[in-house]
Amino acid sequence: MPKTAQLILDGQTIELPIVEGTEGEKALDISKLRSQTGYITLDNGYVNTGSCQSAITFIDGEKGILRYRGFPIEELAERSTFLEVAYLLIRGELPTKPQLDNFLGEISRHTMVHEDVKRFYTGFPKKAHPMAVCAAVIGALSTFYQDSLDPRNEASVEFVTYRLMAKIPTIASYSYKHSIGQPFMYPDNSLDYYSNFLRMMFATPCEDYAVDPVISQVLDLLLILHADHEQNCSTSTVRMVGSAQTNLFASIAAGVSALWGRLHGGANQKVIEMLDRIEQEGDSGRTFLDRCKDRGDTTRLMGFGHRVYKNFDPRAKIIKDACYRVLNHLGIRSRQLEIAVELEERALEDSYFIERRLYPNVDFYSGIIYKAIGIPVNMFTVLFAIGRLPGWISQWIEMQRDGEARIGRPRQIYVGSQKRSYVPLEER
Ligand code: ACO
């Protein structure tokens, strides 16, 4: 007998099916509630609402657990590579050697963008935020592959998957090159994913760029840590757009836009700007934390707090270690890292943060690494997007294949004016 919960409403007893996940997570299935009772559920920000059943990523925010397809993030971070993780997320299993070789081959074969795509960049102001440019260019790719836009055609989806994975580093690096007025670099397919990106960012046609393998490895690690995070804001956006059977390019462009926001992926840029400000003001962080706690002040400790994690974000721990590794390797003493560590220590001992269970999240230390290796601040969120791409793709594919999936269309409780009559302009 499937388990149910009983809801007593207006004297009527309603049986709500209980859905249980493989890790014991429980949900009440309320999909028939409105047709049975006329009531909907109200949940601002979907704090308590499951939008789908998914077999991709498991998070236990109370215990600080994150797993992709069952594999702990710590193990993947130590032993895997970003493209292997991308395969795992998209295909569901770790690849065999021939499968991985084929996947890498397909991705490295499609790194160039159509020459006409480059012309879009000249239309953007030099100061344009690269997230805006990337969202626009990714959306525009759909105009170049018009025969491959059917979300229900598996071959088309595979075609688009390879092209998106292959081209996003090229698209991202061109947004930077355009902003500084340097020529675009063609990809070098003999390099690994991240080394290729770094070369396109920092090499010029007159001077080559030697990729530091330690840096490339750390950046690969960061991509793994960002690769998926179940139904966060940008992923839910990708699913929502895709639920209308919109093509994958357009859905991913929407995800990039959602990620840009300062409360989401944009926080990594905001963290470094916050640390810069604290450094310039000569504050040790104490005054800044007081402002974050002040109800009359909207300042937040960026890179802290999470909707799901009420314990350490496991990614933040790994990134903090990587941060020390990179700075040691480069021989850099970072005042910003010192401030970040001080802020973290103070916050973790402060009753305001303890009571609200606010811990460092994935964005708290990543910007310090990016800055140390010379990535411009406004490109930080773009790097997040490169990492999150396989997660978005896998979630979008899972939804397209889910026989239960329907177009995303939340309800509302209307609180506006009741019926009234139109008043002509001259009588208002
Ligand atoms: N600094 C100070 N106070 C905070 C912070 C913070 N970073 N985060 C939450 N709070 C407080 C809120 O003011 C609120 O206090 P109150 O109960 O007294 O009103 C309480 O903690 C709960 O916060 P909410 O905003 O309701 O929590 P929510 O789950 O909606 O938001 C979020 C989560 C957006 C991540 C929030 O913690 C935040 O703004 N953090 C800073 C931005 C950030 O780092 N974003 C990146 C998140 S990770 C990612 O998306 C990749």
Side-chain angles (χ1 to χ4, degrees):
M1 267 294 274
K3 282 194 209 157
T4 57
Q6 288 187 338
L7 173 69
I8 300 171
L9 204 56
D10 298 336
Q12 191 190 353
T13 303
I14 313 294
E15 300 279 340
L16 296 174
I18 293 179
V19 180
E20 195 164 335
T22 47
E23 291 286 348
E25 291 172 302
K26 295 184 182 64
L28 299 178
D29 178 350
I30 50 102
S31 53
K32 304 253 175 340
L33 185 66
R34 185 171 177 277
S35 58
Q36 287 174 339
T37 66
Y39 283 76
I40 61 165
T41 54
L42 186 61
D43 183 19
N44 268 334
Y46 309 122
V47 178
N48 208 40
T49 296
S51 58
C52 60
Q53 296 192 43
S54 176
I56 300 173
T57 290
F58 172 68
I59 302 175
D60 184 332
E62 300 296 321
K63 296 188 185 141
I65 291 174
L66 170 60
R67 295 184 203 136
Y68 298 159
R69 301 278 188 191
F71 297 99
I73 192 66
E74 294 79 4
E75 260 181 63
L76 294 171
E78 199 184 320
R79 303 177 62 183
S80 189
T81 59
F82 173 62
L83 289 183
E84 186 182 58
V85 166
Y87 184 100
L88 171 70
L89 289 168
I90 295 169
R91 299 277 161 82
E93 294 296 337
L94 284 170
T96 60
K97 177 85 171 66
Q99 285 169 333
L100 184 61
D101 287 347
N102 180 56
F103 189 69
L104 300 187
E106 288 288 350
I107 289 173
S108 63
R109 206 164 303 131
H110 297 290
T111 49
M112 278 200 302
V113 292
H114 194 291
E115 288 294 302
D116 289 346
V117 168
K118 293 184 184 172
R119 304 220 314 266
F120 296 157
Y121 288 85
T122 52
F124 294 118
K126 291 261 182 281
K127 285 193 171 159
H129 197 287
M131 285 297 273
V133 175
C134 287
V137 175
I138 290 171
L141 284 185
S142 60
T143 63
F144 288 82
Y145 302 104
Q146 296 180 31
D147 295 338
S148 308
L149 303 183
D150 180 357
R152 295 295 158 101
N153 180 321
E154 299 265 333
S156 296
V157 170
E158 187 166 336
F159 176 96
V160 176
T161 296
Y162 288 137
R163 276 149 191 84
L164 277 169
M165 287 293 303
K167 293 180 201 311
I168 196 169
T170 315
I171 292 168
S173 63
Y174 286 5
S175 69
Y176 173 58
K177 286 296 197 195
H178 169 67
S179 74
I180 57 170
Q182 284 188 2
F184 298 154
M185 295 295 291
Y186 281 107
D188 175 349
N189 292 349
S190 67
L191 294 175
D192 64 63
Y193 199 70
Y194 225 116
S195 302
N196 196 14
F197 171 70
L198 288 172
R199 189 183 152 277
M200 287 189 285
M201 284 280 293
F202 298 120
T204 65
C206 19
E207 213 172 274
D208 213 10
Y209 170 80
V211 178
D212 179 335
V214 176
I215 300 302
S216 172
Q217 228 174 10
V218 168
L219 289 175
D220 197 75
L221 166 78
L222 286 176
L223 291 188
I224 294 175
L225 298 176
H226 286 89
D228 194 49
H229 213 237
E230 49 115 307
Q231 308 313 318
N232 56 82
C233 175
S234 55
T235 303
S236 298
T237 301
V238 169
R239 277 189 178 255
M240 177 68 94
V241 175
S243 77
Q245 296 189 12
T246 305
N247 70 74
L248 187 50
F249 290 116
S251 305
I252 298 297
V256 173
S257 301
L259 187 72
W260 185 13
R262 68 171 76 186
L263 294 187
H264 191 15
N268 58 12
Q269 173 174 344
K270 295 295 163 199
V271 169
I272 217 78
E273 289 169 1
M274 169 186 83
L275 295 174
D276 271 345
R277 214 169 73 214
I278 295 174
E279 186 181 1
Q280 279 158 18
E281 288 170 0
D283 175 22
S284 62
R286 192 188 295 273
T287 324
F288 185 81
L289 280 188
D290 286 341
R291 280 175 40 204
C292 296
K293 297 188 293 183
D294 181 354
R295 279 193 169 274
D297 192 322
T298 54
T299 307
R300 285 201 164 190
L301 180 54
M302 300 311 284
F304 248 71
H306 199 275
R307 173 61 62 77
V308 181
Y309 292 118
K310 300 302 168 199
N311 198 325
F312 266 97
D313 180 334
R315 302 167 300 174
K317 283 190 198 165
I318 301 172
I319 295 177
K320 187 176 177 186
D321 289 348
C323 196
Y324 282 110
R325 233 177 21 251
V326 169
L327 294 180
N328 279 342
H329 171 72
L330 297 173
I332 295 176
R333 177 179 166 260
S334 161
R335 179 64 196 130
Q336 285 169 335
L337 176 60
E338 289 166 5
I339 294 172
V341 171
E342 277 171 45
L343 281 174
E344 180 189 345
E345 284 171 0
R346 281 187 206 281
L348 293 179
E349 285 171 2
D350 190 302
S351 58
Y352 174 93
F353 292 89
I354 294 171
E355 279 157 22
R356 289 167 181 76
R357 304 173 74 190
L358 303 170
Y359 290 85
N361 61 45
V362 67
D363 293 320
F364 197 61
Y365 287 104
S366 59
I368 299 173
I369 300 184
Y370 295 144
K371 189 163 180 200
I373 60 180
I375 305 280
V377 175
N378 67 358
M379 286 293 287
F380 290 3
T381 315
V382 176
L383 269 68
F384 192 151
I386 298 176
R388 184 54 55 86
L389 180 63
W392 287 331
I393 294 174
S394 59
Q395 300 272 351
W396 185 94
I397 292 176
E398 181 177 64
M399 183 195 58
Q400 299 298 345
R401 290 182 184 160
D402 181 352
E404 304 282 306
R406 302 168 72 183
I407 186 168
R409 203 310 184 182
R411 295 268 177 178
Q412 64 165 17
I413 296 293
Y414 176 70
V415 294
S417 301
Q418 292 190 315
K419 186 180 175 199
R420 47 186 174 157
S421 290
Y422 179 80
V423 180
L425 188 57
E426 56 280 8
E427 291 173 28
R428 276 175 235 158

